C-alpha cells in the first residue's frame, strides 16, 4: 500500500447506465488512489423498453466497494459521494420496496406521451426544457396510463443515485440536479410543481425532499456497513446526477471550458447564467453556480459497444479502425440509435450506415462507427459554443476517449485544444462533492493536480480528410434527422 493510500480519502460511487464505478480520491493530492467497477444488466424489450432491477444496483455497489477495499483501508474513508444516471423512474411503496423495475433514461416506449406533453408550454416554462423521451415526466405519464396499479401503490419517487443513498443511510431524498432532470421541478421557484405532476397523471406527494448536492444526507448504517465494508457512521453526501457530476469532475469551472463526457451517451456541457439553454438542455450546477447547458449524443459509447458485440465480437474495433484510412473510404455512420439532439431534437431518429458499397470491409465499418461518434460529439460541442463563449479548451472524459481513432477524428474537426482528463468523470465529481461536503477541500484545489493530456492534432493532410468525412456525415445527418 502506498503512502497516499494511508491518508484520508473520499469515495465517489457512480451508478452508470451499464456499470457501477467506485473510486478512492485523495483530495489533498488530487489523485485517484484506487478504483473498481462492476457491470450489471438492463432488460431491453422489443417495443423500446429499458428497465433495471434496483437490487442489481445495490448488489453491484456492495461488490464493487469490497473490491476497492482490497486496496484501500475502510478506516481511511472520511466521506462518500454519489452520482447516478438521470431521468429514470423508480417508484417505492410504503415499505420502501420498488413497486416495479426502474425505467432508465433510454426507455423509448413513451414517445406518444412525450409528444402529448410537449404540446403543453408549461413544461418548458417551468422546467426549462422541452419534453423528450429521456426525461422522467413522460415515463410517469406512460406508467399512469399503462400500469396504474403500480402508480397507485407508489409512495415515493426516487432517482438512481438516491436509491443508493437510501440503502446506505436509510434516508429518502434527492438533490437539486436530479430534481431538475425529472422535468417535474419548477426551476425558477425551486419547488416541485403540482401542475406538472398532474399533467402526468400523478401527484407531487410522491416527490422526495430536495437538498443541495454537497449536503451530508446521513451516515452509513450498521447494515450497510456489513454489506459494503464501509465503516458505520461514515458521512454520505447527497451527490448529483451524472451529467452535473461529470461537469464537476471534468474541471468545468467557467464558461471558457466545455466539458465532453464520452460515455454510453455523450454530453457536451457549458456554464450559463440564465434559465435558457436554447436548443440544448438545461441542467443544474452541483455547486449552485448558475446552470449548465447540455447537448447530447444518446448513443456514443452505446454505438461502439453495439458494434463490438454484434459486428466484431472476436476483434478489437480500435485495431480494425486503425487499419482504415481517415474517412472510412466514404462510409458514414450516424449514431442515433436512441434519437437525435443535433441539428434538431428527434426522438424517432435511428442509426444508419450511409454510403456503403461492396468495397467496404470490417475495417471501414469500424472506422465509420468511431468517426461517426466523434463527429456527433463535435456537433454537440459546437451547439454549446453557440450558447456560451468561444472556449479556450475542451475537457474530455469517459471511456470512448480511450480510442485513438476517435481522438484523431475529434481533434481534427474542432478548432480548439482538446484535453483529456484520464481520472475525470462522474465518479470523480461524486468524490469531489464528498470532499466539499465533508469540509476537506474545494473543487478548484482538488482539481489542480489532476493530470491532463492534450490530444495531438494529426497532420494537415489527415485533418483535411476528416473534415471531408465530417461534411459527408453532416449531409447524411441532415437528411435523416
Amino acid at each position: 500500500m502506498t503512502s497516499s493510500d494511508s491518508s484520508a480519502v473520499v469515495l465517489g460511487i457512480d451508478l452508470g447506465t451499464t456499470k457501477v464505478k467506485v473510486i478512492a480520491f485523495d483530495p489533498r493530492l488530487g489523485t485517484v488512489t484506487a478504483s473498481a467497477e462492476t457491470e450489471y444488466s438492463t432488460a431491453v424489450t422489443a417495443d423500446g423498453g429499458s428497465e433495471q432491477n434496483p437490487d442489481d444496483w445495490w448488489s453491484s455497489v456492495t461488490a464493487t466497494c469490497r473490491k476497492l477495499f482490497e486496496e484501500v483501508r475502510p478506516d481511511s474513508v472520511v466521506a462518500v459521494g454519489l452520482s447516478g444516471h438521470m431521468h429514470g423512474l423508480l417508484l417505492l411503496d410504503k415499505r420502501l420496496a420498488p413497486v416495479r423495475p426502474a425505467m432508465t433514461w433510454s426507455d423509448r416506449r413513451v414517445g406518444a406521451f412525450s409528444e402529448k406533453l410537449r404540446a403543453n408550454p408549461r413544461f418548458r416554462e417551468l422546467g426549462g426544457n422541452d419534453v423528450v423521451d429521456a426525461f422522467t415526466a413522460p415515463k410517469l405519464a406512460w406508467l399512469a396510463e399503462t400500469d396504474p396499479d403500480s402508480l397507485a401503490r407508489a409512495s415515493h419517487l426516487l432517482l438512481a443515485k438516491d436509491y443508493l443513498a437510501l440503502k446506505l443511510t436509510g434516508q429518502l431524498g434527492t438533490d437539486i440536479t436530479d430534481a431538475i432532470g425529472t422535468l417535474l421541478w419548477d426551476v425558477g421557484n425551486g419547488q416541485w410543481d403540482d401542475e406538472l405532476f398532474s399533467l402526468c397523471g400523478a401527484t407531487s406527494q410522491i416527490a422526495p425532499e430536495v437538498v443541495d448536492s454537497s449536503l451530508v444526507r446521513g451516515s452509513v448504517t450498521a447494515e450497510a456497513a456489513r454489506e459494503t465494508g464501509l465503516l458505520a457512521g461514515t458521512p454520505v453526501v447527497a451527490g448529483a446526477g451524472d451529467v452535473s457530476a461529470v461537469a464537476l469532475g471534468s474541471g468545468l469551472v467557467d464558461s471558457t471550458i466545455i466539458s465532453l463526457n464520452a460515455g454510453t451517451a455523450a454530453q457536451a456541457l457549458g456554464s450559463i447564467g440564465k434559465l435558457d439553454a436554447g436548443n440544448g438542455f438545461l441542467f443544474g450546477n452541483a455547486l449552485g453556480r448558475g446552470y449548465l447547458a447540455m447537448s447530447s449524443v444518446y448513443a456514443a459509447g452505446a454505438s461502439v459497444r453495439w458494434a463490438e458485440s454484434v459486428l466484431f465480437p472476436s476483434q478489437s474495433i480500435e485495431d480494425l479502425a486503425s487499419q482504415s484510412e481517415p474517412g472510412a473510404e466514404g462510409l458514414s455512420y450516424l449514431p442515433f440509435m436512441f434519437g437525435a439532439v443535433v441539428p434538431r431534437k428527434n426522438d424517432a431518429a435511428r442509426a444508419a450506415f450511409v454510403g456503403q458499397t461492396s468495397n467496404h470491409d470490417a475495417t471501414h465499418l469500424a472506422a465509420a462507427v468511431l468517426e461517426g461518434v466523434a463527429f456527433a460529439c463535435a456537433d454537440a460541442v459546437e451547439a454549446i459554443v453557440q450558447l456560451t463563449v468561444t472556449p479556450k479548451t475542451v475537457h474530455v472524459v469517459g471511456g470512448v476517449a480511450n480510442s485513438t481513432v476517435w481522438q484523431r477524428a475529434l481533434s481534427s474537426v474542432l478548432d480548439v485544444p482538446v484535453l483529456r482528463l484520464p481520472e475525470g468523470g462522474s465518479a470523480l465529481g461524486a468524490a469531489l462533492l464528498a470532499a466539499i461536503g465533508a469540509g476537506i477541500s474545494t473543487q478548484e484545489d482538488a482539481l489542480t493536480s489532476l493530470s491532463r493530456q492534450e490530444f495531438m492534432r494529426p497532420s494537415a493532410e489527415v485533418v483535411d480528410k476528416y473534415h471531408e468525412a465530417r461534411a459527408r456525415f453532416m449531409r447524411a445527418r441532415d437528411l435523416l434527422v
Side-chain angles (χ1 to χ4, degrees):
M1 187 171 289
T2 66
S3 59
S4 63
D5 291 329
S6 63
S7 64
V9 298
V10 291
L11 291 197
I13 302 178
D14 175 47
L15 184 69
T17 305
T18 60
K19 64 184 177 183
V20 170
K21 181 175 183 179
V22 182
I23 67 168
F25 179 72
D26 186 330
R28 296 176 181 83
L29 299 177
T31 57
V32 174
T33 63
S35 66
E37 300 178 355
T38 302
E39 293 191 353
Y40 56 86
S41 63
T42 302
V44 178
T45 62
D47 59 350
S50 176
E51 296 184 341
Q52 294 174 349
N53 184 344
D55 290 339
D56 291 343
W57 297 345
W58 179 240
S59 63
S60 297
V61 167
T62 59
T64 310
C65 284
R66 291 197 172 277
K67 286 182 192 175
L68 189 83
F69 290 139
E70 294 174 4
E71 302 179 54
V72 176
R73 291 203 326 264
D75 63 0
S76 70
V77 178
V78 295
V80 177
L82 304 171
S83 69
H85 55 84
M86 301 179 71
H87 315 308
L89 178 62
L90 171 61
L91 298 174
L92 307 182
D93 62 20
K94 293 179 180 179
R95 298 174 299 137
L96 304 183
V99 302
R100 67 183 312 282
M103 299 173 70
T104 77
W105 63 268
S106 60
D107 198 302
R108 291 298 181 263
R109 291 173 292 187
V110 302
F113 297 86
S114 297
E115 186 175 353
K116 178 180 177 181
L117 297 181
R118 193 180 304 125
N120 192 313
R122 294 296 283 167
F123 286 95
R124 177 81 186 197
E125 292 168 3
L126 299 178
N129 285 299
D130 296 321
V131 180
V132 296
D133 292 356
F135 284 108
T136 305
K139 297 177 180 65
L140 190 59
W142 176 86
L143 193 71
E145 182 162 319
T146 62
D147 190 5
D149 291 341
S150 288
L151 184 57
R153 291 190 289 118
S155 296
H156 308 282
L157 183 155
L158 288 183
L159 286 305
K161 77 171 191 322
D162 306 321
Y163 186 71
L164 302 185
L166 173 64
K167 298 292 285 187
L168 285 167
T169 70
Q171 302 295 315
L172 288 165
T174 193
D175 85 299
I176 186 67
T177 66
D178 257 336
I180 292 174
T182 63
L183 206 51
L184 299 165
W185 178 260
D186 181 340
V187 180
N189 291 312
Q191 63 187 19
W192 294 112
D193 188 78
D194 293 337
E195 180 185 3
L196 298 182
F197 270 90
S198 179
L199 288 168
C200 296
T203 170
S204 62
Q205 292 179 357
I206 64 175
E209 177 191 10
V210 178
V211 300
D212 290 340
S213 305
S214 59
L215 183 76
V216 175
R217 286 288 304 171
S219 58
V220 175
T221 65
E223 181 179 357
R226 285 192 296 271
E227 295 189 64
T228 62
L230 287 160
L231 295 189
T234 303
V236 178
V237 169
D242 59 358
V243 170
S244 299
V246 83
L248 187 62
S250 61
L252 180 56
V253 294
D254 58 44
S255 59
T256 67
I257 298 168
I258 286 181
S259 165
L260 176 62
N261 174 35
T264 301
Q267 302 95 20
L269 295 155
S271 296
I272 57 174
K274 57 183 180 178
L275 286 170
D276 184 5
N279 193 44
F281 295 103
L282 182 80
F283 281 79
N285 186 315
L287 295 182
R289 302 171 182 170
Y291 301 93
L292 302 173
M294 187 269 274
S295 186
S296 184
V297 182
Y298 293 142
S303 290
V304 178
R305 182 182 289 251
W306 169 81
E308 288 176 327
S309 62
V310 176
L311 299 181
F312 321 116
S314 60
Q315 298 171 284
S316 162
I317 188 172
E318 180 72 14
D319 290 345
L320 287 168
S322 64
Q323 298 174 46
S324 168
E325 288 292 314
E329 295 291 339
L331 182 64
S332 297
Y333 173 71
L334 307 176
F336 305 130
M337 290 196 296
F338 306 137
V341 176
V342 179
R344 63 191 63 84
K345 295 169 184 170
N346 183 352
D347 286 332
R350 290 297 179 262
F353 285 99
V354 179
Q356 184 178 351
T357 72
S358 59
N359 293 327
H360 290 126
D361 58 23
T363 66
H364 304 123
L365 290 167
V369 170
L370 291 172
E371 290 174 8
V373 171
F375 298 153
C377 287
D379 285 347
V381 168
E382 291 172 355
I384 297 304
V385 171
Q386 296 175 18
L387 300 171
T388 59
V389 299
T390 300
K392 294 181 180 178
T393 57
V394 175
H395 289 186
V396 177
V397 298
V400 178
N402 293 325
S403 164
T404 301
V405 173
W406 182 88
Q407 290 180 18
R408 284 203 309 262
L410 182 73
S411 60
S412 292
V413 298
L414 292 179
D415 293 326
V416 295
V418 181
L419 304 179
R420 183 184 173 214
L421 281 68
E423 296 178 336
S426 47
L428 178 59
L432 289 172
L433 287 170
I436 294 166
I440 298 171
S441 183
T442 65
Q443 178 197 17
E444 291 81 0
D445 290 342
L447 287 173
T448 299
S449 300
L450 283 180
S451 63
R452 293 164 170 81
Q453 302 170 350
E454 184 169 359
F455 289 179
M456 298 305 296
R457 215 168 192 230
S459 67
E461 180 183 0
V462 171
V463 168
D464 287 344
K465 289 182 178 179
Y466 278 125
H467 274 286
E468 292 172 6
R470 189 185 180 199
R472 290 196 303 271
F473 169 90
M474 294 173 72
R475 289 193 294 270
R477 177 205 68 191
D478 290 347
L479 290 172
L480 179 71
V481 176

